[in-house]
Amino acid sequence: MTINMDTQSNSQSEALYDYLLRLGDSPLILGQRLCEWCGHAPALEEEIAIMNIGLDLIGQCRNWLELAAKTADNGQDADKLAFTRDAHQYRNLLIVEQPNGNFADTMARQYFYDAWHLFTLEALCNSNNRDIAEIAAKAVKEVRYHLRRSREWIIRLGDGTELSQQRMQQAIDDIWMYTGEMFEMDDIEKTLVQEGCAADQQQIKQRWLDEVAETLATATINHPDPDAYMQQGGKQGVHTEGLGFILAEMQFLQRAYPNATW
Amino acid sequence: MRQASTQQQLTADSAAKTSQQIAAELFPIEANTECKPSTGLISTDRGRTIDFHNHLPTEEALWNLLDSVPDPEVPAVSVVDLGIVRSIEYTQSEAGQDDTGQEAPGYWQISITPTYSGCPATELIENEIRGALQRSGVKNYAIQQQLSPSWTTDWITDKGREQLRKFGIAPPAGDSRKPGIAADIECPRCGSNHHKKISEFGSTACKALYQCEDCQEPFDYFKCI
C-alpha cells in the first residue's frame, strides 16, 4: 500500500505544492544523472544528445519549481528548493535516481521515463491550472524528441548484436520494478485529478503499456512480467540510496557556501 | 558607470576585428541590407546605429533596433527573426517607473519568450536586448518573459530561414502543428534532400545532426517544434 504522508497536507495549496515538486523533482534528478555522462558517453554525438536532454529537463524543472515556490509563497525560489532540501523532502520518482549503469541501462531508464513523461505532459496540457498547462505545453514539444531518441536506442540495441541484445534485455529487466510507481496515485494526486488540475495516471498507464509493448516487440526484447513486484515511495519522499549521493554532489556548493552566486 | 562602459567599448572593439575576420572567412555572404548593419557577429560589434537619446522611439523603430540583436547561439539570425521577441507596446504607466526605477510617463513593454525550457541563452538574450536598448538611449522599458503561447519554429521569419541556410543550418521544415508528417529537409550547402540523421540532437537542443549523402557534409538541422 502507498505510504500516506498526505495527512499533513490538509489544504488545497499544500497538495498542489507537493504535486508541483513531484513534477519538478523528477526532471531535476534525471537531468543531474544524465550530466554524469559528460566526458564518458560512448560517442560524441551521444554525449551531446544526453547533455541536451539533461538541459531540457533541468529547464523544465526550473519552471515547475518556480511555480511551486510561487504557490507556497514562503520565500523559497527554484534554486533554494533544488539546493537546500534533503532527500526525504524530494518527491521524484525512484526510477530517475537509479545509477547510470552502462549505456543500455541509461537508455532503458530514459525510455520508460520519456514515455511516461510525454503522456503525462500531454494530459497536463489540459489542466485547468493555467500555469501548469503553459509549462506542460512548452515541455511536451521537447519531450517528444526525447522519446523518439530513446525508443530508437531500445530498438537498435535490442535488435542489434548478440551482446547488445543481452545487455538491453538485462537493462529492461533490472529497471522494470521502478516503473509501477509512475502510475500509483495517492490521495494528493487523486484529489488534484478530481479538481481537474493533475494528470490521471490510470488513463496514462494503458497508453504507456501499449507503447512499451510495441517497442519491446520491435526490439526483440522479452516483455518483463507486468504483475511483478514494484518499488514505490519516491513521490512520498522515501528514496533509494542513490538519491543521497546525487544530492551530496549537486548541493555541495550551496551547502558549503550558502547563497553563493557567480 | 562611465569607466565600466569605456572598458566594455574597448573589449567590444578588439573583439570586433576577430569576429569580423572570422565572419568574412566562414560566411562570405553579401552584406545583409535588411538586418542592418551586420558587420559583426556580436551585437556590441554592430555599434550604435539608432539613437533615441533625444526623442521617443516609435514601435517600428524599436522592432528594427531589436532586429539588430543577434541570437547568441545562432548569431546569423536576429532575436526578432527567431520569433523570440513577441510584442512591443507602449504602456501608460500608473506606477510611473521604468526598468531602472526612474520617473516616466509610460514605458515600452517588451515581451520575449524562451525557445527551449532549458535554453541557457535565455538570460543572455534578455541582457543583449537590454544592452541594445540602453546603447540606443531608450530609457523607459520593461522586459518580461512570457511562457505562453510556447515558442514554435513556425515563428521564424522567411528572412531568418534564409539566413540560417546561408549560415549552414538547414531551416525547420514542415509545420509544428503536424509533428507526425515527415518534413523535406534540404542540405544547406548543396540543396540535396538525400541525407541521413546522425543524431536527434546537434550542437544545441534546438538542432539535430544530419549528414548529406550527396556532398557528404554533415549539417545541423533546426528542428521543427
Side-chain angles (χ1 to χ4, degrees), chain A:
Chain A
M1 285 306 289
T2 313
I3 303 154
N4 259 324
M5 287 186 62
D6 53 359
T7 41
Q8 303 163 356
S9 36
N10 39 22
S11 80
Q12 234 178 346
S13 76
E14 273 181 60
L16 182 60
Y17 175 69
D18 209 280
Y19 187 62
L20 291 169
L21 293 183
R22 293 177 187 189
L23 291 174
D25 287 347
S26 286
L28 172 60
I29 297 302
L30 185 55
Q32 182 71 13
R33 268 286 186 232
L34 289 175
C35 290
E36 291 172 15
W37 274 107
C38 192
H40 304 283
L44 185 58
E45 288 79 4
E46 288 318 310
E47 171 145 332
I48 291 170
I50 290 172
M51 294 310 118
N52 271 316
I53 292 166
L55 198 58
D56 278 349
L57 292 172
I58 284 169
Q60 293 164 10
C61 147
R62 185 162 79 164
N63 287 337
W64 293 123
L65 292 189
E66 270 170 7
L67 183 55
K70 199 176 94 181
T71 304
D73 196 22
N74 57 1
Q76 298 276 357
D77 59 29
D79 280 342
K80 280 190 186 141
L81 286 173
F83 295 126
T84 61
R85 276 179 304 148
D86 280 333
H88 70 277
Q89 296 167 305
Y90 263 79
R91 295 288 180 265
N92 60 282
L93 297 164
L94 298 177
I95 190 171
V96 297
E97 67 199 38
Q98 299 314 306
N100 285 338
N102 60 35
F103 192 68
D105 292 320
T106 292
M107 293 328 292
R109 181 187 66 196
Q110 192 69 32
Y111 172 65
F112 287 151
Y113 176 77
D114 286 346
W116 172 85
H117 197 196
L118 178 65
F119 300 153
T120 299
L121 289 172
E122 282 178 353
L124 288 176
C125 288
N126 298 318
S127 168
N128 62 8
N129 180 312
R130 218 180 119 223
D131 292 326
I132 290 181
E134 285 184 1
I135 296 172
K138 181 142 199 72
V140 78
K141 298 179 178 191
E142 297 155 9
V143 173
R144 206 167 274 140
Y145 276 96
H146 300 179
L147 176 61
R148 216 163 87 173
R149 174 175 172 277
S150 57
R151 188 198 285 129
E152 277 178 14
W153 270 116
I154 300 295
I155 295 169
R156 187 175 298 191
L157 294 178
D159 191 16
T161 67
E162 201 180 323
L163 180 64
S164 74
Q165 211 261 357
Q166 183 198 326
R167 289 264 172 94
M168 187 42 89
Q169 182 71 60
Q170 190 63 50
I172 295 283
D173 292 343
D174 287 347
I175 203 77
W176 183 251
M177 66 172 153
Y178 296 104
T179 58
E181 183 196 24
M182 303 191 287
F183 311 104
E184 286 295 329
M185 291 198 291
D186 59 8
D187 289 347
I188 290 178
E189 284 189 33
K190 281 179 189 157
T191 311
L192 293 173
V193 167
Q194 272 171 5
E195 285 167 14
C197 94
D200 186 350
Q201 295 300 334
Q202 279 312 306
Q203 289 179 15
I204 290 164
K205 186 175 184 179
Q206 196 50 52
R207 269 189 89 187
W208 186 88
L209 285 170
D210 293 346
E211 155 72 35
V212 166
E214 194 187 330
T215 301
L216 294 188
T218 314
T220 70
I221 296 284
N222 294 324
H223 199 299
D225 178 9
D227 299 320
Y229 172 76
M230 292 289 178
Q231 298 284 351
Q232 54 185 308
K235 292 183 191 181
Q236 290 80 25
V238 184
H239 292 279
T240 61
E241 66 172 334
L243 185 64
F245 290 99
I246 297 173
L247 296 186
E249 186 171 328
M250 187 178 87
Q251 298 182 333
F252 168 78
L253 195 92
Q254 284 300 325
R255 297 288 196 185
Y257 306 94
N259 304 319
T261 55
W262 69 86

Side-chain angles (χ1 to χ4, degrees), chain B residues 71-116:
Chain B
D71 177 79
E73 283 182 345
V74 192
V77 185
S78 81
V79 293
V80 169
D81 282 325
L82 268 184
I84 289 169
V85 181
R86 299 314 306 147
S87 65
I88 300 176
E89 54 187 325
Y90 196 72
T91 309
Q92 297 295 333
S93 111
E94 273 180 48
Q97 279 195 339
D98 66 9
D99 206 36
T100 54
Q102 288 172 334
E103 292 283 318
Y107 62 96
W108 289 100
Q109 176 83 42
I110 296 166
S111 289
I112 59 175
T113 192
T115 52
Y116 277 65

Side-chain angles (χ1 to χ4, degrees), chain B residues 141-176:
Chain B
Y141 62 88
I143 300 174
Q144 69 167 27
Q145 291 278 352
Q146 90 179 41
L147 211 56
S148 178
S150 61
W151 180 81
T152 160
T153 44
D154 297 347
W155 292 340
I156 300 178
T157 61
D158 289 345
K159 185 181 100 195
R161 283 162 200 267
E162 192 45 39
Q163 283 163 339
L164 281 173
R165 203 189 321 274
K166 283 182 179 168
F167 194 65
I169 299 170
D175 187 328
S176 73

